[in-house]
């Protein structure tokens, strides 16, 4: 341990601790912008400078290690002036159109300006030329406004270090510096996975999702449209954050009630089709095992991972399940099965999904996603977008009574719920596979929550080696082994976002790993408390097979629930 003094407070910290971490340990909050707890250090924005009283110097606290005997001030006039000046210089070159910005209210720059008490008249003398760069708003999932970018590099780092995609880089120098794509191409035309991790670390409104709020209002206001909504598993443990609740607070009933109040005609759950995915994918895996087909079997429910695979691991696409994601199984069933049962013309049905994910916006626009004879999913709202709609009409979310999902496609099991966290798909699948093969229940696997996890699962005489990766950088490690022919795994689950969907690109901001852990715990608690926890026991899924689909992997299931991927 070393001893140092910060703001006249003597503290002891482990060697190697930065000044910023040391200060935070004793509750001193130094502002930061380029710093992010889950990324490597950068030290470029200089918003975290403090004064070293020993040698009258200013140091960036996020990148400077604390040293024994140091005497620092975070609040000296010199430190405050320097931080203020650095923030004002950022503002002098910023559009400052907070009122029209997606991040109004969750912007880290706005928050710092508020806390520092910076006033407009202090910025005006510094103002010079502003950037006037074109927006990249072609989507389909993400849009970039380089004029709002403060060059903190957090998006560049997450894309390279965590995702291993490197779709974004710094380009040019000085005033002309920008974060951009290769050859300045729109994000839709490059190797971007659409996972939106860049949007989750952006401190300002420079990278956000393409909004579909207007489209959804339009459908809700159209008397001829029958508007159906499905909610992804992860939403119920995260949307509460938008209304001031702790991360991981389970608000399923309030979520359903809010959607009814917004005017959706039916409120269903994607967990229903997550259970259905387990039936289809579970049988697909059993078929591969029983008939000695090539393994590992690799999951397909994450569209960010699928896009990444199409760019980087096209040679392994035959190992990837042909099962569509639960979102894309759900929507064609609405326009066929539900339409038939309810005697509604599918041409008048409008399908919306609420997803933690930006890649789902991309997925719904894939040209093959029209198996119902119509565009299967019409609109995808992120958790953040839905929260905005709820706030816009003044619904008092926290005081809503609990409501229940609609029948037919609203019932789900605990297996469907845990899809929303890394490891959940695998555990859900093996619950069903093991019971089908042996009649025995599966012990809890607990394959979450961070990085790569593996397990040996005994199913009768079989030993199934499973591996789970979240974050595309982690996925690449497993896939390189498969490619080299030295992977021992029979089953691999991949989710593009670290932690899986609880850490999705459309989730409430700001976020960090601790919050994601809590969100995952929230989902696990739902599964634990559910009476039915295995997909094959979902009565509504059984009814769907009895009344409409026939058997898993049969003709109709194949047409509506399976797909192919492009190399
Ligand atoms: Fe997910 Fe999935 S779990 S991919 O994370 O398989 O988005 O929550 O809806 O489709 O069910 C996301 C979440 C979600 C699908 C399911
Ligand atoms: Fe979307 Fe979930 Fe995949 Fe992230 S992990 S890209 S939220 S499906």
């Amino acid at each position: 341990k070393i001893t140092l003094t910060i703001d006249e407070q003597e503290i002891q910290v482990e060697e190697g601790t930065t000044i910023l971490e040391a200060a935070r340990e004793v509750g001193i909050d130094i502002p930061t912008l380029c710093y992010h707890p889950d990324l490597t250090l950068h030290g470029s924005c200089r918003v975290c400078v403090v004064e070293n009283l020993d040698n009258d110097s200013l140091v960036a606290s996020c990148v400077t290690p604390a040293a024994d005997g140091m005497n620092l001030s975070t609040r000296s006039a010199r430190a405050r002036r320097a931080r203020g000046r650095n923030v004002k210089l950022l503002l002098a070159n910023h559009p400052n159109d907070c009122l029209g910005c997606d991040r109004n209210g969750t912007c880290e720059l706005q928050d710092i300006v508020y806390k520092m008490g910076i006033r407009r008249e202090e910025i005006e003398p510094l103002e010079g030329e502003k950037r006037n760069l074109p927006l990249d708003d072609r989507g389909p999932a993400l849009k970039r406004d380089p004029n709002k970018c403060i060059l903190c590099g957090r998006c560049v780092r997450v894309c390279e270090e965590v995702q291993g995609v490197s779709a974004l880089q710094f380009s040019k120098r000085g005033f002309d510096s920008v974060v951009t794509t290769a050859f300045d191409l729109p994000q839709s035309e490059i190797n971007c996975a659409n996972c939106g991790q860049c949007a989750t670390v952006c401190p300002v409104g420079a990278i956000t999702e393409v909004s579909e709020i207007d489209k959804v209002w339009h459908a809700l206001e159209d008397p001829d449209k029958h508007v159906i909504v499905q909610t992804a598993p992860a939403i119920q443990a995260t949307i509460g954050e938008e209304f001031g609740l702790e991360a991981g607070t389970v608000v399923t009933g309030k979520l359903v009630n809010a959607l009814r109040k917004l005017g959706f005609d039916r409120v269903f759950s994607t967990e229903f089709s997550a259970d259905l995915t387990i039936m289809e994918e579970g049988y697909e895996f059993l078929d591969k095992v029983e008939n000695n087909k090539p393994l590992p079997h690799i999951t397909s429910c994450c569209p960010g991972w699928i896009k990444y695979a199409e760019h980087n691991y096209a040679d392994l696409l035959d190992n990837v399940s042909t099962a569509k994601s639960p979102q894309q199984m759900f929507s064609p069933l609405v326009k066929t099965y539900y339409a038939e049962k309810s005697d509604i013309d599918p041409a008048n049905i409008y399908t919306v999904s609420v997803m933690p994910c930006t890649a789902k916006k991309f997925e719904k626009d894939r040209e093959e996603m029209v198996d119902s004879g119509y565009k299967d999913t019409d609109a995808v709202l992120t958790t953040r977008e839905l929260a905005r709609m709820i706030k816009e009409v003044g619904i008092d979310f926290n005081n809503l009574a609990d409501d229940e999902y609609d029948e037919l496609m609203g019932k789900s099991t605990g297996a469907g719920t845990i899809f929303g966290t890394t490891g959940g798909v695998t555990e859900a699948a093996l619950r069903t596979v093991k019971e089908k093969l042996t009649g025995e229940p599966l012990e809890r696997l607990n394959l979450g929550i961070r990085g790569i996890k593996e397990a040996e699962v005994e199913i009768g005489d079989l030993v199934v080696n499973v591996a789970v990766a979240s974050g595309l950088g982690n996925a690449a490690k497993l896939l390189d082994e498969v490619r080299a022919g030295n992977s021992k795994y029979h089953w691999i689950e991949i989710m593009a976002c670290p932690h899986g969907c609880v850490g999705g690109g459309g989730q409430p901001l700001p976020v960090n790993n601790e919050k994601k852990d809590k969100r995952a715990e929230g989902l696990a608690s739902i599964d634990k408390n559910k009476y039915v926890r295995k997909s094959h026991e979902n009565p509504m899924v059984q009814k769907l097979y009895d009344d409409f689909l026939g058997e898993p992997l049969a003709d109709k299931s194949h047409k509506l629930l399976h797909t192919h991927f492009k190399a």
Side-chain angles (χ1 to χ4, degrees), residues 232-234 270-271 274 301 325-327 355-357 360 419-420 495 501:
T270 316
E271 289 181 12
C301 57
S325 75
Q327 165 178 281
M355 292 284 141
C357 173
K360 296 277 183 204
F419 261 62
M495 302 303 270
C501 298

Side-chain angles (χ1 to χ4, degrees), residues 60-301:
S61 60
C62 73
V63 286
T64 310
D68 204 34
M70 254 183 178
N71 185 15
L72 303 160
S73 175
T74 73
R75 50 178 76 154
S76 70
R78 194 156 168 238
R80 285 187 292 115
R81 253 201 318 274
R83 290 202 294 265
R85 192 181 51 240
N86 293 343
V87 174
K88 285 175 213 165
L89 285 170
L90 285 173
L91 296 173
N93 188 21
H94 194 77
N96 299 335
D97 71 340
C98 302
L99 292 181
C101 183
D102 289 342
R103 292 294 300 274
N104 191 3
T106 63
C107 172
E108 293 176 37
L109 179 61
Q110 193 184 47
D111 194 41
I112 287 174
V113 171
Y114 170 73
K115 283 188 185 154
M116 286 186 175
I118 295 172
R119 318 196 73 82
R120 178 167 291 282
E121 55 272 23
E122 298 175 73
I123 311 161
E124 273 163 1
L126 299 170
E127 272 182 11
E129 198 184 337
K130 299 249 181 187
R131 285 170 296 192
N132 190 16
L133 298 164
L135 305 186
D136 175 5
D137 57 1
R138 272 176 268 182
L142 296 159
K143 64 179 194 295
R144 284 185 307 123
D145 181 349
N147 303 305
K148 288 184 182 163
C149 176
I150 57 166
L151 301 172
C152 68
R154 280 161 44 165
C155 57
V156 175
R157 278 176 282 153
V158 80
C159 193
E160 184 185 328
E161 294 167 6
V162 180
Q163 299 301 67
V165 174
S166 300
L168 299 169
Q169 290 110 25
F170 283 103
S171 162
K172 305 196 180 144
R173 290 280 173 274
F175 177 78
D176 294 325
S177 292
V178 279
V179 167
T180 187
T181 59
F183 306 109
D184 244 345
L185 286 165
Q187 224 153 317
S188 54
E189 289 176 26
I190 57 165
N191 61 339
C192 167
N194 296 296
C195 65
Q197 288 303 303
C198 49
T200 69
V201 297
C202 180
V204 295
I207 308 184
T208 53
E209 69 271 61
V210 171
S211 175
E212 296 181 62
I213 291 178
D214 288 346
K215 269 166 59 177
V216 175
W217 279 131
H218 208 254
L220 288 169
E221 283 153 13
D222 183 342
D224 296 327
K225 286 266 176 278
H226 185 75
V227 189
I228 304 285
V229 65
Q230 55 166 312
T231 65
I235 310 293
Q236 58 200 320
T238 63
I239 196 168
E241 290 167 49
E242 289 279 346
F243 302 95
L245 301 174
E246 270 283 295
T249 309
V250 176
V251 291
T252 321
K254 295 184 196 301
L255 170 66
V256 175
N257 193 340
L259 289 162
R260 287 232 165 78
K261 285 205 159 34
L262 286 174
F264 289 97
D265 294 296
R266 289 286 177 281
V267 183
F268 288 140
S269 170
T270 316
E271 289 181 12
F272 164 82
S273 51
D275 281 332
L276 182 63
T277 302
I278 291 306
M279 296 303 290
E280 294 293 323
E281 195 168 342
Y283 276 81
E284 191 187 1
F285 179 63
L286 281 174
D287 173 58
K288 288 181 183 177
V289 172
E290 283 167 355
N291 296 305
N292 286 322
K293 293 187 178 169
L295 292 171
H297 171 93
I298 308 179
T299 60
S300 58
C301 57

